Amino acid sequence: MAKAAATDATAFLKDMMGAFPVDTSAFEGAFKNTASLNEKLAGVALSAAEKSSEISSKWTKDTIAKLADMSKAKAEPADYAKAMTDFASAQAEVAAENMAAFAEVAKKVQMDTVELLMAAGKEATEEATAAVKKATDEVTTAAKKATAK
């Protein structure tokens, strides 16, 4: 008996869902648009990560080279103080340059992201407008047919 009730419910649900057909093209289009946007955003993020990695790598290599120069044996004790001062001064300058480079990467990411989101918003608005127009036309056509009978 329980099996018969479950079968009846299943049949009822199938009939009910069949009575309300769903146009999945809108969902497919939204999925494709979202996947495309995600791909573009991932490209922006990966490009920024690559550039940031290049900046960090160069900064590290430069620092190691300067440390190698600083660690060389000196003839006079005062030369060690001068080497340390020169290193600190060079590092401060390099840090400013590299922070500016990181800021440029961040600025580009921000601009690219805003550009992508604005384009996606415009596209979504156009699609929504077209969908509303299509639905309005279909309702108008159906209403005319119903009143003509």
Side-chain angles (χ1 to χ4, degrees):
M1 179 159 187
K3 185 175 182 177
T7 304
D8 290 345
T10 302
F12 171 75
L13 286 173
K14 282 183 182 177
D15 291 345
M16 185 178 75
M17 294 305 287
F20 297 102
V22 176
D23 182 13
T24 60
S25 64
F27 295 113
E28 291 170 5
F31 177 78
K32 288 177 183 176
N33 289 343
T34 301
S36 175
L37 177 62
N38 287 341
E39 179 183 0
K40 291 172 185 172
L41 289 172
V44 168
L46 292 172
S47 175
E50 181 181 8
K51 289 175 185 169
S52 295
S53 177
E54 289 171 3
I55 293 167
S56 293
S57 178
K58 183 181 179 306
W59 191 355
T60 301
K61 287 178 181 178
D62 291 347
T63 300
I64 290 170
K66 288 176 181 150
L67 278 171
D69 289 342
M70 188 182 76
S71 66
K72 291 180 181 174
K74 312 289 187 243
E76 297 291 323
D79 292 341
Y80 288 101
K82 181 180 181 330
M84 182 61 109
T85 303
D86 290 347
F87 174 77
S89 176
Q91 280 305 104
E93 185 178 319
V94 169
E97 291 171 8
N98 286 317
M99 294 313 287
F102 282 126
E104 285 299 315
V105 170
K107 183 174 152 184
K108 181 166 177 18
V109 167
Q110 182 182 20
M111 289 176 12
D112 290 351
T113 301
V114 168
E115 186 178 304
L116 285 171
L117 293 176
M118 293 291 286
K122 181 180 177 189
E123 188 176 308
T125 300
E126 290 170 355
E127 289 176 2
T129 302
V132 168
K133 183 180 182 323
K134 180 182 174 190
T136 302
D137 292 346
E138 289 173 356
V139 168
T140 302
T141 302
K144 286 180 182 176
K145 286 181 181 177
T147 56
K149 291 181 181 181

